[in-house]
């Protein structure tokens, strides 16, 4: 089943508000040929993550935006299709960052080898990759969980949230999840082992959250912002910690919300309650500690202590719709696109 | 020059917005008599600090409010006037928390002994006390200064700010102060040794600050909030640290500012730039590390490396006006009221 061309999804236009299908175009180009010292990678799995919304805008951020007509960026799990590189063999699996396309060249820089027959190659995009690492370092290093702490995590069944909550349980926290809809809440409690999970779509969401957090909140792992944070803020305990790794509810915002201006109120809360709020970007801040994470997570998975759910979508052509759905919370688990069948 | 009565300044009413003289009343009561195990303290110096504004309100905060008709709280340096306590002798100096009055009883709990002939007893309220300790731990523990960092400190000639900047210089930072008026700015540069000091009353304050911080801001020691923070926010570097010990510009606010609501914008900045913002209350969070501070500061003072300026006001009856002025930035140095002459 050879493919004569390299399918690529490029950024056709910058979204205003929520991305639409029109912002993406599927194009075809020739499959490139590796020079000496290079190899051709063929993607099998593409990770879809909320941060990609930021790359579609040209507002100043921590990373360069994707240019118009450029291939959308993203983490991938690939197989080496052809190799002129001494250290990589055809058929080998690698974790790469080749984006929303079938094929790409690489000189080996930045690749992580995954072996010849990894049991779950796509895990490198989730539980063993960026989202799992984000959950691990954000919770343990910034959140500093103590036995008996109340930990609240939003997007509780998402790639990061589901890991935060489960690691929190392993550290002896009381874990309260927040998720959209009854099915996700049941999953968080029954399968992930959270103590409670509150549906943010419920009319009395804030009241339910307050009731579940009867001893206040010691750690709030922030990845959504907006109304969820509004409900969390009054419940924060003295000395609370807020690792901040995402604000998905805000990514499509085209303007600031109407007033009053609560910026000073947030700062006053941080002051009065002696709260630490800290943003982080996982590989920039903690890249040197990946080994620590990988060792723990490998063990926890082997011991059955961590449950990992993927939301697998078939076909590169479906990546735009899947990504739009991800920003709307329609995924149930880590969003991964299977772009090609393994060889 | 014995005083027949105990003069006390009590909270007459809770301020709405900025405190006025009407919120305070000077009353007289009998001088109390120490029981066995107690002593009578006679204050010589009373510290005035911005946090006292919070105690005048009954909004929920980290400490109980002062009740109506109760004596205003505050740190004091006292002499023991009469003692039925085995461990304290008449004439001894102590750091106490007896508030805005001449006399108070104590059983010794919470007192810090200052000796019989301290060279600068009032220093215990400033450079060697709460403000100095706040500056030291906030800058060093939360701010984590590195050689060459740009450190911005507001209220640059105040009790805390003046120490933050000088300690920052000792740690190799480039220190940019912010103060109200040319005289204070000159003092910060000429006497405290700051690299720059910007007048926040200048029409082009934000532009001047941006120009002075040509490499961005690595540490912003926050004790004022409001317009100063608005000017600081866009200059913050990736990985910046914001120790948050006060928001003096907000203390008299009766409502939140008009919109738009920039709370999500602040959080987005913390996320994108991986910033740590952390509130702290010095003795609650760092009480166990006082010795570390005292050792360093004693040495720096002895070596002439730290300059300390007091704004001394004579007479307990002038404490309300002095306090109102403090909130308006009219003080020049650490605000201390000399309530009585030493014996």
């Amino acid at each position: 089943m050879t493919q004569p061309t390299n399918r690529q999804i490029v950024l056709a236009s910058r979204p205003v508000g929520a991305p639409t299908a029109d912002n993406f175009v599927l194009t075809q180009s020739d499959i490139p040929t590796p020079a000496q010292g290079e190899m051709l990678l063929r993607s099998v799995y593409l990770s879809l993550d909320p941060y990609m919304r930021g790359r579609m805008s040209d507002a100043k951020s921590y990373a360069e935006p994707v240019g118009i007509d450029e291939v959308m960026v993203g983490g991938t799990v690939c197989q080496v299709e052809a190799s002129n590189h001494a250290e990589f063999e055809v058929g080998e699996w690698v974790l790469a960052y080749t984006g929303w396309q079938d094929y790409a060249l690489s000189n080996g820089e930045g690749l992580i080898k995954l072996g010849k027959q990894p049991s779950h190659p796509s895990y490198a995009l989730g539980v063993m990759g960026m989202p799992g690492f984000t959950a691990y370092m954000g919770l343990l290093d910034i959140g500093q969980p103590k036995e008996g702490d109340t930990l609240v995590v939003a997007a509780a069944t998402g790639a990061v949230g589901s890991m935060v909550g489960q690691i929190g349980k392993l550290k002896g926290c009381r874990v309260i999840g927040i998720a959209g809809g009854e099915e996700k809440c049941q999953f968080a409690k029954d399968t992930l082992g959270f103590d409670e999970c509150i549906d943010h779509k419920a009319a009395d969401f804030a009241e339910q959250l307050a009731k579940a957090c009867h001893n206040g909140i010691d750690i709030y792992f922030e990845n959504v912002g907006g109304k969820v944070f509004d409900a969390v803020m009054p419940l924060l305990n003295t000395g609370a910690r807020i690792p901040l790794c995402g604000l998905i509810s805000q990514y499509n915002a085209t303007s600031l919300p109407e007033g009053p201006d609560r910026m000073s109120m947030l700062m006053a809360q941080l002051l009065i309650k002696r709260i630490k709020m800290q943003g982080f970007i996982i590989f920039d801040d903690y890249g040197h500690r990946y080994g620590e994470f990988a060792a723990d997570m490998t063990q926890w998975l082997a011991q059955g202590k961590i449950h990992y759910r993927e939301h697998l979508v078939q076909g590169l052509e479906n990546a735009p719709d899947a990504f739009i759905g991800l920003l709307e919370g329609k995924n149930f688990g880590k969003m991964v696109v299977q772009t090609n069948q393994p060889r």
Side-chain angles (χ1 to χ4, degrees), chain A:
Chain A
M1 201 177 80
T2 48
Q3 284 170 317
T5 62
N6 182 19
R7 297 175 305 161
Q8 299 177 311
I9 294 179
V10 304
L11 182 64
S13 56
R14 301 203 183 280
V16 178
T20 63
D22 293 344
N23 299 132
F24 305 93
V25 170
L26 177 64
T27 64
Q28 314 249 351
S29 70
D30 290 339
I31 297 171
T33 306
Q36 195 55 39
E38 287 187 339
M39 67 196 116
L40 179 66
L41 299 179
R42 177 174 172 276
S43 86
V44 178
Y45 297 106
L46 163 66
S47 180
L48 295 182
D49 301 279
Y51 77 85
M52 293 168 173
R53 174 63 184 84
R55 300 291 193 285
M56 298 177 74
S57 296
D58 54 6
K60 198 184 167 191
S61 184
Y62 51 86
E64 284 295 303
V66 175
I68 297 294
D69 293 333
E70 285 182 7
V71 177
M72 283 289 296
V73 294
T76 52
V77 166
C78 299
Q79 282 184 290
V80 177
E81 180 83 357
S83 180
N84 290 324
H85 191 297
E87 290 165 30
F88 292 86
E89 287 178 40
V90 170
E92 231 187 302
W93 292 79
V94 293
L95 175 63
Y97 201 79
T98 56
W100 299 27
Q101 59 184 342
D102 289 319
Y103 292 95
L105 296 178
S106 169
N107 62 6
E109 207 175 297
L111 298 189
I112 294 175
K113 284 174 174 262
L114 300 175
K116 294 209 170 174
Q117 289 189 310
S119 54
H120 297 97
S122 64
Y123 277 25
L125 300 173
V127 61
M128 291 302 300
M130 186 269 284
F133 191 24
T134 297
Y136 179 93
M137 294 304 326
L139 178 62
L140 299 186
D141 192 64
I142 301 176
Q144 297 281 332
K146 295 187 303 293
E147 182 107 17
D149 275 354
T150 297
L151 163 65
V152 170
V153 55
T157 61
V160 175
S162 61
M163 294 302 134
V164 171
Q166 291 181 90
I167 299 171
K169 286 304 296 177
L170 292 175
K171 298 296 177 184
C173 296
R174 188 162 171 274
V175 176
I176 316 295
I178 298 170
E182 191 48 39
E183 190 189 0
K184 289 181 181 177
C185 287
Q186 278 302 330
F187 176 80
K189 287 185 284 188
D190 297 346
T191 305
L192 303 179
F194 288 24
D195 297 281
E196 300 276 355
C197 191
I198 315 294
D199 181 358
H200 64 71
K201 296 177 180 171
D204 62 343
F205 160 64
E207 289 74 21
Q208 284 192 47
L209 184 67
K211 203 175 156 195
C213 302
H214 40 74
N215 291 324
I217 297 173
D218 300 300
I219 308 173
Y220 173 56
F221 195 101
E222 175 64 296
N223 47 16
V224 300
K227 284 182 186 172
V228 170
F229 185 71
D230 294 349
V232 162
M233 187 160 53
L235 305 174
L236 291 165
N237 285 336
T238 293
R241 288 83 68 198
I242 308 178
L244 173 58
C245 84
L247 291 167
I248 194 170
S249 75
Q250 307 299 307
Y251 292 167
N252 289 333
T254 52
S255 63
L256 291 171
E258 287 191 10
D261 182 1
R262 297 180 301 162
M263 189 168 81
S264 59
M265 187 178 83
L266 172 59
M267 291 172 71
Q269 288 296 307
L270 300 185
L271 171 61
I272 291 169
K273 294 181 174 173
R274 304 181 264 145
I275 292 168
K276 176 173 70 173
M277 180 179 267
Q278 185 169 353
F280 68 107
I281 309 288
I282 188 62
F283 283 105
D284 292 355
D285 290 323
Y286 293 107
H288 58 293
R289 294 178 66 178
Y290 180 81
E292 199 178 314
F293 154 72
D296 273 348
M297 188 58 84
T298 302
Q299 186 178 35
W300 289 334
L301 281 170
Q303 294 170 339
K305 288 182 174 172
I306 290 279
H307 184 97
Y308 178 57
R309 179 176 177 134
E310 282 181 342
H311 184 131
L312 203 64
V313 170
Q314 292 296 333
L316 177 64
E317 67 280 11
N318 293 316
D321 277 355
F323 179 65
I324 291 166
L326 173 70
L327 293 178
E328 293 169 350
K330 288 187 178 163
N331 60 306
F332 194 163
K334 169 67 188 113
M335 183 69 95
V336 174
V337 177
Q338 180 153 19
T339 47
N340 289 289
Q341 293 302 315
R343 298 285 191 207

